[in-house]
Every structure is written in C-alpha cells, then in structure tokens.
Amino acid sequence: EAAKRGAFLFYKTPGEGGAYCASCHRGDFFSDEKYWVLAVPQIGRGKTDINDFEDGIDDWGRAHVTGHRADKYAYRTPTLLGVEVTEPFGHSGVFKTLKDVVLHHLNVEKSIARFDYKTISTDGGPINSRLSAKQTARALDMLRQQRAAGKPGVLQDIAMSDRQVDDIVEFLKTLTDPCLKDKACLAKWVPDRN
C-alpha cells in the first residue's frame, strides 16, 4: 500500500498533490536523459580545466564537456531501475539513503543547510569542507538563477509529509529487480572470471 501511494506521488504534479518525480524520471528507464542542476553537495575534485586553484577543483558537471557556463553544475538524470542497490546517491555520492536524496529533491536549500561536510571522507581522507561548501553554494546559486529566470523543468521545492516521503521511497524500491539483491540469482548474469 505504501508503494502504491508513493507511485501516485511520484507521477502526480504538485497541483494534484504529488511530487512529480516523473517530470525527469520517466520512460522505460525512468530517465529523461537530460542534464539538470540539483545543487547536490559538491565534494572532491572536479574535472574543470581552469588554471585557478579553486575553479580547478570545482565540479562543473556538464559544462566540462560542452564548455558552456550555462551547463555548470548540471548532471544527467540517472535511471531509477535498480536504484535501491546503487547507494550512495547523488552524482557525488553524498547521500547514504534513498530518503536523503528524495528529501534533497523536495527542498534543496533545506537539504544543503543541514548537510554536514565533516561526515564525508574520500579514499584520500577528509574533504576540504570550506571549498566543498563554497562550491555547493555556487551550484545552489545556479539553481536559484534558473528558477528566477523561469527555466522550464527546473527543480522546485515541494512540501511533503514524512509519511509521503517514506511512500515515495517504498515506490522507488519496487523499481529494483529482486534478482539484484540475490547473489545466487545475479551470479548467472555475471561473467565467470575464468
């Protein structure tokens, strides 16, 4: 029942009382294959080809490929097929649970305000939280600019209760084939190492 309620929230527009996740996560692969600014907290080194130190470690997303500043901090909508077993979430892997990433989508500024950079570390050790927070603020500014300009399809804040968020998460779990969580089942699809 929770997953059914979550499906309605996933597909319905805010005007219909939903979160309208399907505005981007649609089609056979639950992805529009487009690039969007979500202002997911930035960590680690980006791929920007800029000589300035701070810009050189800022993750510019799609702009690194296109060279267009309007594409800064935009990342492709990922598929949701099998999403339950693909943690961590977000392009930078900063969200540990599906609920965390859903909450981020529903209210980006609130998510960033409560995000604790000190809990994140990489293989190289703790991240530079000052630079990460600064880079995240730049991504948030880009999202705000797009909202202010009325760019179609840009992520907007949507109020949902805890139960509604949990229902969306339960629906997302239904998009994972049970075989992905069963090593014996999955083994027949993984090439033998020999």
Side-chain angles (χ1 to χ4, degrees):
E1 289 303 311
K4 286 181 186 178
R5 290 190 306 266
F8 284 115
L9 294 168
F10 185 92
Y11 286 105
K12 286 186 175 184
T13 66
E16 299 169 319
Y20 200 35
C21 310
S23 66
C24 296
H25 293 283
R26 62 178 177 251
D28 292 343
F29 297 107
F30 288 85
S31 172
D32 62 4
E33 299 292 327
K34 293 182 180 178
Y35 295 82
W36 299 100
V37 175
L38 303 180
V40 168
Q42 304 278 39
I43 63 166
R45 293 174 32 172
K47 298 179 181 181
T48 310
D49 298 325
I50 301 295
N51 292 325
D52 174 89
F53 173 73
E54 286 192 23
D55 279 347
I57 60 171
D58 196 358
D59 193 348
W60 283 12
R62 186 69 177 150
H64 175 67
V65 176
T66 67
H68 302 296
R69 289 191 178 266
D71 291 337
K72 282 176 70 173
Y73 312 114
Y75 298 87
R76 187 178 58 82
T77 306
T79 181
L80 294 180
L81 297 178
V83 71
E84 182 182 6
V85 296
T86 62
E87 73 279 340
F89 305 100
H91 76 273
S92 57
V94 297
F95 297 115
K96 295 180 188 213
T97 68
L98 278 172
K99 185 170 185 171
D100 290 338
V101 75
V102 169
L103 288 169
H104 180 81
H105 279 71
L106 294 173
N107 191 317
V108 173
E109 293 196 40
K110 186 175 180 180
S111 172
I112 291 172
R114 71 173 176 237
F115 188 78
D116 185 1
Y117 294 93
K118 293 180 183 114
T119 64
I120 303 297
S121 64
T122 64
D123 291 339
I127 63 163
N128 183 324
S129 60
R130 183 187 65 79
L131 285 178
S132 292
K134 187 174 184 178
Q135 293 160 354
T136 301
R138 290 177 186 162
L140 182 56
D141 285 343
M142 178 65 81
L143 177 61
R144 288 175 179 147
Q145 290 170 24
Q146 290 179 349
R147 286 176 172 177
K151 182 178 177 183
V154 171
L155 192 63
Q156 301 292 329
D157 292 344
I158 299 171
M160 292 271 149
S161 69
D162 283 342
R163 178 182 171 187
Q164 289 174 310
V165 173
D166 290 341
D167 289 348
I168 291 171
V169 169
E170 288 305 310
F171 170 68
L172 294 175
K173 290 178 180 179
T174 69
L175 302 178
T176 299
D177 186 320
C179 185
L180 291 175
K181 298 187 287 185
D182 179 349
K183 285 186 180 185
C185 178
L186 193 57
K188 66 184 173 186
W189 302 103
V190 178
D192 191 2
R193 291 186 179 182
N194 298 328

